[in-house]
Amino acid sequence: LLRGDVGYHPDALVVGDTEVDVRAARLAGLRCVAVQSGVRSGALLAAERPDWLLDSLSQLPGLLAERRG
């Protein structure tokens, strides 16, 4: 599906822990938060250039609060 077909909210984010998640977000036209959960290395995730790279999922609430400003 393309972004226009499903009507994503403009603030929608994809949160994932693999390079496939980051790529899927890009293909959907969405911003991406990659989380270093041990499944993939931080270097591998960083190479995919996510919008944010977190060390832990516990950092996500702070990121969301910061985005709401």
Side-chain angles (χ1 to χ4, degrees):
L1 295 174
L2 298 176
R3 182 177 180 179
D5 294 336
V6 295
Y8 296 126
H9 189 280
D11 291 333
L13 297 172
V14 172
V15 179
D17 62 358
T18 71
E19 70 281 5
V20 175
D21 299 325
V22 178
R23 292 175 192 163
R26 294 292 179 235
L27 286 172
L30 295 170
R31 300 187 83 179
C32 182
V33 178
V35 182
Q36 301 178 70
S37 64
V39 175
R40 299 288 196 262
S41 73
L44 180 65
L45 292 172
E48 295 295 327
R49 303 184 57 89
D51 296 293
W52 297 274
L53 181 59
L54 304 181
D55 293 324
S56 167
L57 192 57
S58 66
Q59 295 175 297
L60 186 60
L63 173 66
L64 296 175
E66 183 180 297
R67 290 193 72 227
R68 286 187 203 113

